[in-house]
């Protein structure tokens, strides 16, 4: 897939509907959260470069001053699973927003395999992502009745790594939960740092949720991160579910583990409450 030009990006930046092609078929156990009582759907976020990016947001239909949760996508983009997660938060009283962070480089939801997706995602600069998330927070406060003093972030897989990095970038984040995000890697021009590199200076409390049988994130790197966090002031914690594989929260995939997913969600909500988000 060719990188989208600026002109084409502005003309075609719409949010995906349904599940990404690369994750078909969808498991029967998939969660479907009702939008009743919510304002939910696609919005456009003004960004520093290229005008706007699409995002999915969900919030209670009545009220204001909502706590804000940034929901950061997996490698598959802001498809139905990520949209459903935002609705889960909204049903609990949050303003949840999932910006489409790959869209300049390509619409990964239309690609049929991970092997096609990875080269697109590899072109996404961390600096672009962090800037877009800053713009999303600004939009949430200005246009969607969000409370800037109650800002949280959570992300899955690719988004788990970004959760750690954005918490280091924006100390106004009150809390974050990173689901199986890669912690250690080789620095590149576009991705110059990994969570291990920012751990000792982190001030935002992050809860990391990892699987003991995750073949893509070695347990020794999780232990390295846990050790590095000891020298920070963030009071971050890491939980490892010994029998869980990668993507154990993804209820639309065979990797889903109901027990660990439900425990992780319970821990997430308690973490947000403990750190003054909810």
């Amino acid at each position: 897939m060719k990188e989208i030009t600026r002109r084409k990006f502005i003309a075609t930046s719409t949010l995906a509907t349904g599940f990404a092609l690369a994750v078909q078929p969808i498991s029967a156990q998939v969660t479907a959260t009702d939008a009743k009582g919510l304002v939910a759907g696609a919005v456009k976020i003004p960004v520093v470069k290229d005008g706007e990016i699409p995002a999915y947001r969900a919030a209670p239909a009545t009220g204001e001053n909502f706590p804000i949760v940034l929901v950061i996508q997996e490698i598959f983009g802001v498809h139905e699973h990520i949209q459903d997660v935002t609705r889960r938060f909204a049903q609990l009283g949050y303003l949840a927003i999932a910006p489409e962070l790959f869209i300049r480089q390509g619409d990964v939801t239309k690609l049929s395999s991970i092997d096609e997706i990875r080269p697109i995602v590899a072109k996404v600069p961390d600096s672009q992502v962090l800037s877009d998330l800053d713009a999303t927070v600004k939009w949430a406060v200005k246009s969607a009745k969000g409370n800037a003093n109650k800002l949280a972030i959570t992300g899955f897989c690719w988004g788990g790594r970004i959760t750690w990095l954005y918490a280091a970038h924006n100390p106004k984040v009150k809390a974050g939960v990173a689901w199986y995000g890669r912690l250690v890697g080789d620095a590149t021009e576009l991705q110059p740092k990994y969570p291990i590199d920012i751990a000792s200076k982190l001030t935002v409390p992050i809860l990391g949720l990892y699987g003991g049988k995750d073949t893509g994130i070695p347990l020794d790197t999780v232990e390295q991160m846990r050790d590095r966090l000891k020298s920070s002031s963030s009071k971050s914690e890491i939980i490892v579910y010994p029998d869980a594989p990668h993507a154990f929260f993804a209820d639309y995939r065979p990797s889903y583990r109901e027990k660990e997913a439900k425990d992780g969600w319970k821990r997430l909500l308690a973490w947000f409450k403990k750190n003054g988000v909810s």
Side-chain angles (χ1 to χ4, degrees):
M1 177 182 286
K2 294 182 179 179
E3 187 164 334
I4 295 176
T5 64
R6 183 176 186 275
R7 179 178 295 177
K8 188 176 180 182
F9 165 73
I10 293 173
T12 63
S13 55
T14 57
L15 198 68
T17 57
F19 287 91
L21 285 180
V23 302
Q24 307 292 339
I26 305 304
S27 298
Q29 68 222 357
V30 65
T31 302
T33 304
D34 198 337
K36 184 177 180 180
L38 305 179
V39 175
V43 296
K44 291 189 180 294
I45 307 294
V47 293
V48 174
K49 294 182 179 180
D50 304 315
E52 298 174 328
I53 60 170
Y56 188 91
R57 70 83 174 82
T62 60
E64 58 184 1
N65 216 31
F66 304 117
I68 302 167
V69 182
L70 300 173
V71 180
I72 313 303
Q73 66 210 61
E74 313 153 295
I75 197 172
F76 305 112
V78 183
H79 66 140
E80 176 57 28
H81 173 63
I82 298 300
Q83 295 175 26
D84 192 89
V85 171
T86 69
R87 294 194 296 272
R88 296 178 208 180
F89 278 118
Q91 291 289 6
L92 296 172
Y94 293 88
L95 164 62
I97 314 172
E100 183 58 89
L101 299 168
F102 303 160
I103 198 65
R104 293 177 186 78
Q105 284 70 35
D107 183 358
V108 296
T109 65
K110 301 297 191 295
L111 301 177
S112 59
S113 73
I114 292 180
D115 289 338
E116 290 179 282
I117 292 173
R118 284 196 178 106
I120 302 300
V121 177
K123 296 178 183 178
V124 181
D126 286 346
S127 58
Q128 171 188 296
V129 172
L130 301 178
S131 176
D132 286 352
L133 290 175
D134 285 342
T136 301
V137 174
K138 183 178 180 180
W139 180 89
V141 174
K142 182 178 179 181
S143 304
K145 303 178 181 178
N147 185 342
N149 296 316
K150 292 189 174 184
L151 173 64
I153 184 171
T154 191
F156 305 88
C157 188
W158 181 89
R161 172 180 174 269
I162 295 300
T163 295
W164 291 102
L165 296 182
Y166 190 70
H169 167 78
N170 183 1
K172 292 182 180 179
V173 174
K174 280 204 158 302
V177 177
W179 300 78
Y180 34 83
R182 191 177 180 191
L183 298 167
V184 178
D186 296 326
T188 67
E189 183 178 354
L190 298 182
Q191 292 93 31
K193 292 184 179 180
Y194 278 79
I196 194 76
D197 301 314
I198 56 88
S200 62
K201 296 181 180 179
L202 191 65
T203 59
V204 175
I206 302 295
L207 176 64
L209 301 173
Y210 288 81
K213 293 186 177 179
D214 188 331
T215 58
I217 303 176
L219 276 178
D220 67 314
T221 66
V222 177
E223 291 306 319
Q224 288 175 43
M225 185 70 178
R226 185 180 271 153
D227 186 64
R228 194 73 62 90
L229 286 167
K230 292 177 182 178
S231 61
S232 80
S233 62
S234 68
K235 297 183 179 179
S236 296
E237 298 178 13
I238 292 180
I239 303 294
V240 175
Y241 296 102
D243 297 323
H246 189 73
F248 61 83
F249 188 79
D251 53 29
Y252 64 98
R253 297 171 66 183
S255 58
Y256 178 60
R257 298 294 183 271
E258 182 179 13
K259 179 181 176 182
E260 288 85 349
K262 288 184 174 180
D263 184 76
W265 184 254
K266 182 179 178 180
R267 287 177 184 273
L268 176 150
L269 296 177
W271 189 256
F272 284 0
K273 184 175 181 179
K274 173 184 177 180
N275 291 290
V277 178
S278 58

